[in-house]
Amino acid sequence: MTKAIIRRDFLKAAAAGTGIAAVGLPATATAIAAAAEATPFRHGVASGDPLPDAVIIWTRVTPVPEAAPGSGAGGPAEVTWQVAADPGFQQIAASGTLTTGPERDHTVKVDVRGLEAATTYHYRFLFDGVASPAGLTRTAPRPEAEVDGLRLGVVSCSNWEAGHFSAYRHLAARGDLFGVVHLGDYIYEYRRGEFAARGTVVRPHEPAHEILSLADYRTRHGQYKTDPDLQALHAACPWMIVWDDHEVANDSWSGGAENHDPATEGPWAPRLAASRQAYFEWMPVRTGPAGEIYRTLRFGTLADLTMLDLRSYRSRQTSGIEVDDPGRTMTGQAQMDWLRSVLSGGGARWRLIGNSVMISPLALGSLPAHLLGPLRRLLGVPEGGYALNSDQWDGYTVERKRLLAALPDNTVFLTGDIHTSWANEVPRTAATYPASPSLAVEFVVPSVTSDNVDDFLRAEPRTISLTAEGLVRAANRHVRGVELDSHGYGVLDVNPDRVQMDWFAISNRSRADAASSWLASFASAHGSRRLRRAYRPVPF
Ligand SMILES: [Fe+2]
């Protein structure tokens, strides 16, 4: 029986010869470029969605130099995959061979079955006598297994043009994570220069134009997968991901997007289909029988993680009192029925919900205009300063009420989307708080790189935003902590008694060697639905 799934053995396994060590970063840009040229596996390896007997492994092969992502060039390529108990690949647990080709952009994705529960595995791919870098992954414990610890990296909003993915590098270097939760905006769709770092492109997007076609989405995914920090974190542990809007286009809904103009960009459906096809080719995610990606993963008795799809089925964003229309939906009926049944079922001691957009209500009406402007741009608050951002759950109030009424007392929302860091006690309604009880806690992680408040203000970090943070908290008593300037990542530590989120900031997203520093921590005792500040991050 598994007692713990987060142990130093994970770190030791990583350091033993493959895994993190084997995919360690070349020291110089020249070496990185040379390594990329020398291998048919220039997009790294990845794994995801661990089950007790299965995990998805992924790579992309470049069989001939001209077979670049999105090119359609290059013929069929036979690739062998291996999953082993040891770093030397002597004890093969599962293996196979498959043929990939331009019809799937030469990606390779295998849902490996028949594995042992709660077990660390090494995996790699072989093509034309060349072995890929080895990745490290792990299966989940069985649902009935007693588990006393779970630690996850939590990230969102990684915009290539806005900087380097140092958040990924620092997470990969820890060696103590069971896995990584990515809450969306893994890629951005914009044309070169449209959404960079305070208007400055740190590194340009490929292709140069806004991505619209299947070839475009494949090219963009391929570019992101060349990032050495991204490759290191994918190779270090399994990821559990969900898309938000920018995997297709800004502020998307079921029938379109703010950043989609049918008059000049054509119909929505083929663009959506192209983005989804490239996503499924390039990301280590498992889909359900109807192609859905909302799903629950479970980690023994300790925790389950329900990942929501809040883009594919939602009603169009609106404003004013229309947000209270009971006919509006964020999840779609089928996903909401499924979610309510998941939450009312047995479940684990902690119910984690991967929720791409903030569920806590937000009022900003009392902010002065000079602060409201940048916040409006970031959060999408209407001109009149209404107490909502209608792209978040604030735009779907009736459905939110139905969901909040169904929450067990051990629910933790993990949220991204708004590029800033928040620790919230989720109230029944904002207006009556603090009389309204807290129904759950919510941890919002900052962007890996995407612009936030000081960037929009072109201000020094931790200057003018301090005023905004104070005002946000004054108008939103359920917000226990908020930080509007930093880029970085979260680390969620779960044990039977409490969950704790540690926020970390990177020093400079424009530098590939940015440092990481601890920002803040909040914890919640089991069953309390409340937050308390923690004064040190969990040791690792
Ligand atoms: Fe984002």
Side-chain angles (χ1 to χ4, degrees):
M1 176 169 289
T2 305
K3 276 299 287 178
I5 58 177
I6 297 305
R7 287 299 191 208
R8 287 282 165 176
D9 65 342
F10 199 67
L11 178 59
K12 284 186 206 135
T18 61
I20 296 168
V23 297
L25 309 182
T28 66
T30 309
I32 292 170
E37 285 302 308
T39 175
F41 296 103
R42 60 196 60 172
H43 298 94
V45 300
S47 71
D49 283 357
L51 301 176
D53 66 341
V55 69
I56 289 176
I57 60 172
W58 177 95
T59 194
R60 199 262 180 186
V61 65
T62 305
V64 290
E66 57 270 28
S71 67
E78 197 175 88
V79 178
T80 295
W81 55 270
Q82 296 177 326
V83 176
D86 66 310
F89 288 87
Q90 298 299 306
Q91 303 164 48
I92 300 291
S95 66
T97 297
L98 57 77
T99 301
T100 184
E103 74 285 352
R104 52 191 294 183
D105 209 17
H106 287 98
T107 56
V108 177
K109 188 167 156 181
V110 184
D111 197 350
V112 182
R113 299 276 166 169
L115 300 174
E116 295 293 318
T119 303
T120 298
Y121 287 103
H122 306 262
Y123 65 96
R124 68 179 180 181
F125 302 84
L126 305 162
F127 171 73
D128 200 20
V130 178
S132 74
L136 200 61
T137 192
R138 196 164 170 95
T139 49
R142 289 186 227 288
E144 69 278 10
E146 190 184 330
V147 172
D148 62 11
L150 174 69
R151 200 168 293 172
L152 301 169
V154 188
V155 284
S156 76
C157 297
S158 36
N159 178 10
W160 177 279
E161 290 213 322
H164 297 276
F165 298 155
S166 295
Y168 294 163
R169 182 176 69 260
H170 288 288
L171 281 169
R174 290 177 63 105
D176 65 339
L177 303 177
F178 175 86
V180 167
V181 176
H182 197 300
L183 295 159
D185 293 356
Y186 179 94
I187 63 166
Y188 278 73
E189 83 282 12
Y190 293 114
R191 66 172 162 78
R192 201 174 283 176
E194 187 169 355
F195 185 53
R198 301 184 176 217
T200 298
V201 175
V202 177
R203 44 184 189 167
H205 262 149
E206 297 291 346
H209 55 269
E210 182 178 324
I211 51 177
L212 293 170
S213 68
L214 178 58
D216 293 342
Y217 281 99
R218 284 170 162 174
T219 302
R220 191 63 60 85
H221 272 283
Q223 181 185 31
Y224 276 60
K225 282 286 198 300
T226 63
D227 182 274
D229 297 331
L230 178 148
Q231 288 190 9
L233 188 54
H234 271 303
C237 58
W239 287 36
M240 293 149 274
I241 60 172
V242 74
W243 52 53
D244 195 34
D245 51 338
H246 289 288
E247 281 83 352
V248 191
N250 183 54
D251 283 1
S252 59
W253 55 286
S254 57
E258 178 276 333
N259 189 28
H260 180 78
D261 181 359
T264 57
E265 296 174 318
W268 173 248
R271 182 180 189 178
L272 178 66
S275 75
R276 295 300 193 233
Q277 181 177 335
Y279 187 87
F280 289 130
E281 289 169 348
W282 281 84
M283 302 298 283
V285 61
R286 185 181 290 112
T287 51
E292 74 276 11
I293 67 162
Y294 57 83
R295 63 204 187 278
T296 294
L297 298 152
R298 181 156 174 165
F299 311 96
T301 56
L302 181 64
D304 51 43
L305 171 66
T306 296
M307 300 294 282
L308 299 182
D309 177 357
L310 302 182
R311 292 293 169 183
S312 300
Y313 318 101
R314 68 155 79 189
S315 311
R316 188 173 193 163
Q317 294 86 347
T318 187
S319 60
I321 59 170
E322 284 178 29
V323 302
D324 298 330
D325 180 345
R328 293 173 53 68
T329 181
M330 171 74 97
T331 61
Q333 192 61 51
Q335 184 176 198
M336 181 55 73
D337 291 346
W338 167 85
L339 176 58
R340 288 171 63 109
S341 77
V342 165
L343 293 174
S344 65
R349 186 162 174 83
W350 290 98
R351 319 301 305 268
L352 312 177
I353 299 182
N355 167 61
S356 63
V357 297
M358 193 152 85
I359 193 154
S360 299
L362 185 62
L364 292 175
S366 60
L367 287 181
H370 73 285
L371 288 175
L372 189 58
L375 281 168
R376 272 193 56 235
R377 203 175 139 202
L378 185 68
L379 303 169
V381 176
E383 193 72 50
Y386 298 134
L388 59 90
N389 164 1
S390 65
D391 187 58
Q392 300 185 164
W393 280 93
D394 272 341
Y396 304 81
T397 57
V398 175
E399 191 171 66
R400 175 170 59 188
K401 260 187 215 146
R402 286 201 292 265
L403 173 56
L404 293 181
L407 293 182
D409 68 359
N410 49 1
T411 307
V412 179
F413 288 95
L414 305 175
T415 303
D417 178 55
I418 52 175
H419 307 179
T420 45
S421 305
W422 303 68
N424 302 326
E425 294 174 342
V426 185
R428 192 179 307 278
T429 60
T432 56
Y433 195 83
S436 175
S438 174
L439 301 177
V441 297
E442 178 175 41
F443 299 124
V444 185
V445 294
S447 62
V448 169
T449 57
S450 303
D451 270 10
N452 51 32
V453 170
D454 60 329
D455 304 319
F456 286 139
L457 287 165
R458 304 288 196 268
E460 282 294 311
R462 316 313 301 139
T463 55
I464 199 162
S465 295
L466 291 173
T467 309
E469 290 163 12
L471 290 166
V472 164
R473 289 197 58 197
N476 300 272
R477 298 287 302 281
H478 54 282
V479 175
R480 298 291 311 281
V482 58
E483 205 273 17
L484 298 173
D485 287 344
S486 292
H487 308 283
Y489 57 95
V491 173
L492 182 77
D493 184 72
V494 185
N495 68 34
D497 300 327
R498 65 102 183 87
V499 291
Q500 177 168 324
M501 180 68 96
D502 300 331
W503 283 264
F504 293 87
I506 57 163
S507 59
N508 186 340
R509 62 192 162 141
S510 299
R511 292 183 58 106
D513 62 350
S516 168
S517 61
W518 175 63
L519 196 61
S521 297
F522 279 86
S524 180
H526 189 262
S528 73
R529 314 186 195 212
R530 306 304 291 260
L531 290 171
R532 59 181 162 78
R533 190 174 277 278
Y535 293 94
R536 62 177 65 88
V538 294
F540 69 95

